[in-house]
Amino acid sequence: MSHISFSIGGILYLTLLLVVCIIKKVGKSKIENKVYLYLVVVALIGLIIDSTSFLMILTSVDVHNPFYILLSKLMLCYFEAWCFLFLLYMIAVLLRKQNQQKNYSKYKVILFGIIFPILIILNLVLPIEYNVSQNQIYPMGISVVICYLNAVVGIIIMICLLLKNKKYIKDKEFLPLWIVIALSMLTIIIQIICPGIILMTAVEALETFIMYFTIENPDMKLINELNIAKDQADKANQAKSEFLSSMSHEIRTPLNAIVGFSQALLEEDINEEAKEEVKDIVMASNSLLEIVNGILDISKIESGKIEIVNTEYKFKDIFDELVILSKGRLGDKPLEFKYSYDASIPNVLYGDYTRVKQVILNILTNAIKYTKEGYVDFKVSSIIKDDICRLIISVEDTGIGIKQENISKLFSKFERLDLDKNITIEGTGLGLAITKKLVELMNGKIVVQSVYGKGSKFTIAIDQKIIETQVEILEEKKEIKEEKTIDVTGKKILIVDDNKINLKVASRLLQKYNVITEEVESGFLCIDKINSGNKYDLILMDDMMPKMSGIETLKKLKEIESFNIPVIALTANAIAGMREKYINEGFTDYLAKPIDKNELNNIIYKYLNK
Ligand code: ADP
């Protein structure tokens, strides 16, 4: 009775499985999925034949009844069909892995066009006998032996096939196949030892189930496909980031020459007209640099690579710096720049100094850009709760304003609004997209209020932790914003760069300090100089050099006993996070190309003015 209940249960389950497979269109994707559908159908037919013949025995039908004999022979055919289909399934999986799907029909013809029909004919023609003892009735004879033989040969072929394709064996996809093979082997052994226990149909139904919930599960397949698609997208994104970073490097290198030589020219005694033109060159190069940085920032944010690096900082320093920068950007516009700073803001805060400055500078620059006359009002206040200071930064202008319907588009990348009015104003439409993403990364908020034609007000709220002490540490880190008179006359600086123009730019910018500069074009030459006893006060080292990079050169230098010269990474690899990278690699400090004269001044002051 348990046998019949199992068969009927199995029929119900397999029917359900078949319906699910059809609804989920399992057979429509790959060849093996189609074969799997046949496997389900054949397993179902097997269970139906099995239960029918069992019912006949229960109702005392004689084993010599021709219909019963036919059912027994069909049972053997079913069993062979299932084994063949499973073998074909495995071949289909392997062919897919090897990208050889075109060979599939060849195997199908050999298995189902030639061997299977021969076995069917043998099954039908050869006689079948029955062992009838006590409560057991089971078929035996030559056709049953052929059937078992066929299963054993099939299993051997499957194992050989899997072993031959060793490189895929560790693939998770093959685990269910191994389980099915192991189960089948076990069943055949049990079946040969105790032929009375008819296990075949039950095991094959079970194996068909196992396959559905593992290798054939459409949801798992979907997840697999999604994972593959995700991997591909990640790789593409990675390639994009690498491309952008190398483009940024390539653009920065010639820009270094343009900015460097122009800055040096500005300090020369040239006529006013030429000076104005050189100033324009510097300004144009700076906007080009801003565009490069903007594109890099947005691509880093999108690939989730931007990190918020929190440190202690003085907000007042940022405020002062922003005021100086904004005043510089007013140019000759008839604009009043108002600013106010709430004295209740704690002295030292903990947050991402660079990003806080970047977002405020973005909205300040926009306010100045999009306002012809009137004022720009920059206000910072704070709300303090426990050890958190909520900075409320607002920038209000009397500029062109933003149409209500455009406010929702404001923070989308590459979205520039009101182009008929703005066409002459330089911009990429990236600034606010970056600002919003960065503010959100810092768990802050940005809101905008605007009246078209009258002006706009951007407000940013960011929470920063309050640090009460350690003001002294900051004092040490504080950078100099204005040029100080530095006397470093006669100090020796070694510049290492494979690019001759870059060498010229650096030594040109250093000229005004009355230092002695030496230039070498590779890491090897730099090491030679040190090894032959030359003494320097500072080394400026490019990183991306052929044969031996700056990082490798530095490692070799550090191996030299008593080497203690400060080495500054001077590099066009200037995306965010690079400073930390170079400092971690052992560089004393970092200077981005194009070289900013104030930054260079800071470095000289910090390392030579001792
Ligand atoms: P960009 O200024 O480089 O074009 P942004 O992302 O900074 O890009 O700004 C997107 C658009 O939003 C600008 O093109 C401009 O139309 C509008 N906008 C931004 N700030 C202001 C402002 N203060 N006043 C008026 N319009 C603004």
Side-chain angles (χ1 to χ4, degrees):
M1 260 334 262
S2 61
H3 186 105
I4 191 78
S5 344
F6 179 85
S7 297
I8 292 173
I11 292 172
L12 288 177
Y13 274 116
L14 277 183
T15 314
L16 210 65
L17 189 64
L18 191 64
V19 173
V20 174
C21 284
I22 292 168
I23 292 173
K24 293 209 170 186
K25 298 192 174 81
V26 165
K28 284 213 168 151
S29 35
K30 297 183 192 118
I31 307 172
E32 80 230 34
N33 309 130
K34 204 184 266 169
V35 183
Y36 177 74
L37 262 190
Y38 293 141
L39 266 175
V40 180
V41 174
V42 169
L44 193 58
I45 295 173
L47 281 174
I48 295 171
I49 301 172
D50 188 39
S51 33
T52 317
S53 52
F54 202 78
L55 277 173
M56 284 177 88
I57 297 294
L58 277 183
T59 50
S60 312
V61 172
D62 187 7
V63 290
H64 300 296
N65 181 312
F67 188 59
Y68 185 78
I69 295 175
L70 179 69
L71 278 186
S72 303
K73 292 194 171 214
L74 284 179
M75 193 71 194
L76 296 178
C77 296
Y78 137 78
F79 180 61
E80 275 150 2
W82 196 93
C83 290
F84 272 74
L85 276 174
F86 184 73
L87 180 60
L88 194 65
Y89 178 88
M90 197 153 136
I91 291 173
V93 175
L94 285 170
L95 289 177
R96 169 170 57 80
K97 288 262 165 196
Q98 296 163 346
N99 256 335
Q100 295 281 323
Q101 282 99 327
K102 57 180 186 308
N103 291 336
Y104 169 74
S105 34
K106 194 171 76 191
Y107 291 100
K108 195 168 99 181
V109 170
I110 298 175
L111 288 175
F112 280 94
I114 306 170
I115 311 177
F116 187 63
I118 298 175
L119 283 172
I120 299 247
I121 294 168
L122 283 177
N123 276 342
L124 294 176
V125 172
L126 291 171
I128 190 161
E129 291 154 40
Y130 293 94
N131 181 314
V132 184
S133 64
Q134 291 145 11
N135 279 334
Q136 289 183 333
I137 300 171
Y138 58 86
M140 42 186 271
I142 182 82
S143 38
V144 176
V145 173
I146 292 179
C147 191
Y148 285 168
L149 257 175
N150 162 49
V152 173
V153 173
I155 288 175
I156 293 173
I157 295 178
M158 288 175 210
I159 294 176
C160 291
L161 272 178
L162 281 182
L163 291 178
K164 198 177 152 222
N165 292 278
K166 268 204 246 59
K167 60 178 168 180
Y168 305 122
I169 281 184
K170 281 201 186 131
D171 210 320
K172 264 207 304 228
E173 219 181 330
F174 285 86
L175 188 68
L177 297 183
W178 279 113
I179 296 175
V180 170
I181 293 175
L183 261 178
S184 306
M185 263 163 66
L186 197 71
T187 317
I188 302 258
I189 295 169
I190 297 175
Q191 204 67 80
I192 293 171
I193 300 170
C194 325
I197 314 170
I198 300 169
L199 272 179
M200 297 295 198
T201 28
V203 172
E204 279 168 5
L206 182 72
E207 288 174 342
T208 315
F209 266 118
I210 292 178
M211 283 170 71
Y212 179 77
F213 289 103
T214 52
I215 186 165
E216 271 301 316
N217 186 337
D219 301 329
M220 294 246 299
K221 280 187 169 184
L222 198 65
I223 292 171
N224 257 345
E225 276 160 24
L226 285 177
N227 279 339
I228 293 171
K230 186 180 164 289
D231 280 353
Q232 282 168 345
D234 283 349
K235 273 189 198 142
N237 212 354
Q238 171 91 14
K240 183 185 83 179
S241 297
E242 276 162 20
F243 169 75
L244 283 172
S245 122
S246 74
M247 277 313 284
S248 138
H249 184 267
E250 294 309 310
I251 296 172
R252 275 166 189 279
T253 307
L255 262 183
N256 185 37
I258 303 173
V259 176
F261 289 133
S262 323
Q263 280 180 356
L265 265 179
L266 277 181
E267 276 154 25
E268 297 284 304
D269 197 12
I270 51 173
N271 70 46
E272 268 318 298
E273 202 182 329
K275 214 167 211 166
E276 284 308 309
E277 283 165 0
V278 176
K279 269 188 195 159
D280 286 345
I281 298 178
V282 175
M283 252 166 61
S285 320
N286 283 337
S287 25
L288 184 54
L289 201 61
E290 258 171 43
I291 296 173
V292 175
N293 289 344
I295 292 176
L296 268 174
D297 267 350
I298 202 86
S299 90
K300 284 200 92 191
I301 292 174
E302 282 179 353
S303 59
K305 281 201 185 137
I306 216 141
E307 277 172 32
I308 296 299
V309 185
N310 295 328
T311 49
E312 290 168 19
Y313 69 95
K314 273 186 165 179
F315 187 75
K316 186 72 171 70
D317 285 353
I318 296 189
F319 183 83
D320 292 343
E321 221 172 304
L322 287 168
V323 169
I324 294 173
L325 279 169
S326 305
K327 281 184 179 166
R329 287 182 185 196
L330 289 176
D332 44 19
K333 274 190 181 181
L335 260 186
E336 185 191 353
F337 184 72
K338 306 188 207 175
Y339 51 93
S340 66
Y341 181 85
D342 183 351
S344 68
I345 298 170
N347 206 9
V348 184
L349 296 176
Y350 183 76
D352 192 329
Y353 172 92
T354 329
R355 298 303 178 187
V356 170
K357 196 169 97 184
Q358 184 178 354
V359 296
I360 307 177
L361 186 61
N362 269 347
I363 55 169
L364 273 170
T365 313
N366 276 350
I368 296 168
K369 254 185 358 186
Y370 298 106
T371 309
K372 274 203 190 111
E373 52 190 13
Y375 65 84
V376 168
D377 190 0
F378 172 34
K379 275 195 191 123
V380 188
S381 59
S382 71
I383 302 171
I384 292 168
K385 198 169 173 232
D386 302 327
D387 64 340
I388 298 294
C389 164
R390 175 161 298 173
L391 291 169
I392 316 274
I393 304 133
S394 72
V395 176
E396 193 179 345
D397 64 57
T398 52
I400 56 168
I402 302 155
K403 287 182 190 155
Q404 218 50 35
E405 66 265 29
N406 280 340
I407 291 212
S408 58
K409 299 184 209 154
L410 207 57
F411 299 103
S412 314
K413 66 178 175 185
F414 300 117
E415 195 78 64
R416 302 207 65 216
L417 314 171
D418 223 1
L419 268 183
D420 44 341
K421 279 195 177 177
N422 290 348
I423 202 80
T424 51
I425 304 172
E426 263 184 54
T428 52
L430 281 175
L432 284 180
I434 296 171
T435 305
K436 184 160 199 272
K437 295 231 160 94
L438 288 177
V439 168
E440 281 167 358
L441 271 174
M442 293 187 280
N443 300 318
K445 272 213 155 63
I446 175 163
V447 285
V448 50
Q449 297 151 286
S450 187
V451 180
Y452 188 58
K454 292 225 150 86
S456 320
K457 183 176 178 183
F458 284 78
T459 309
I460 295 177
I462 321 173
D463 285 352
Q464 304 277 276
K465 224 172 135 195
I466 303 169
I467 304 284
E468 319 258 33
T469 52
Q470 294 172 346
V471 184
E472 329 70 65
I473 297 173
L474 275 142
E475 287 301 337
E476 209 177 284
K477 280 191 201 161
K478 198 176 154 186
E479 290 176 0
I480 342 142
K481 270 147 228 99
E482 283 151 37
E483 274 191 41
K484 295 199 172 158
T485 16
I486 307 173
D487 185 15
V488 289
T489 313
K491 300 264 180 188
K492 270 181 93 179
I493 301 182
L494 178 66
I495 312 161
V496 191
D497 199 317
D498 59 304
N499 183 312
K500 279 197 183 116
I501 296 187
N502 281 342
L503 286 174
K504 251 170 96 175
V505 174
S507 63
R508 181 74 170 82
L509 285 172
L510 288 167
Q511 236 174 44
K512 67 169 183 178
Y513 295 98
N514 293 327
V515 288
I516 304 162
T517 55
E518 269 183 42
E519 293 124 46
V520 285
E521 282 176 44
S522 72
F524 299 103
L525 293 172
C526 164
I527 295 168
D528 282 353
K529 286 260 178 202
I530 302 295
N531 273 335
S532 34
N534 289 289
K535 296 269 177 278
Y536 300 97
D537 298 289
L538 190 69
I539 299 178
L540 297 179
M541 173 112 58
D542 180 32
D543 179 33
M544 291 194 188
M545 293 185 286
K547 294 200 181 114
M548 192 193 280
S549 70
I551 294 179
E552 285 163 353
T553 313
L554 178 70
K555 286 211 172 100
K556 292 242 153 45
L557 286 175
K558 293 211 160 173
E559 284 166 16
I560 301 172
E561 222 180 304
S562 76
F563 176 83
N564 63 353
I565 307 170
V567 185
I568 314 295
L570 174 62
T571 168
N573 194 357
I575 50 177
M578 282 303 131
R579 164 181 293 278
E580 292 73 23
K581 179 191 152 187
Y582 284 107
I583 296 202
N584 281 343
E585 291 289 352
F587 283 95
T588 320
D589 215 324
Y590 164 94
L591 192 56
K593 277 189 230 166
I595 305 172
D596 177 86
K597 67 175 183 2
N598 290 330
E599 304 250 331
L600 178 67
N601 204 52
N602 283 345
I603 296 279
I604 301 286
Y605 179 82
K606 210 161 160 185
Y607 301 102
L608 291 186
N609 194 31
K610 286 185 182 150

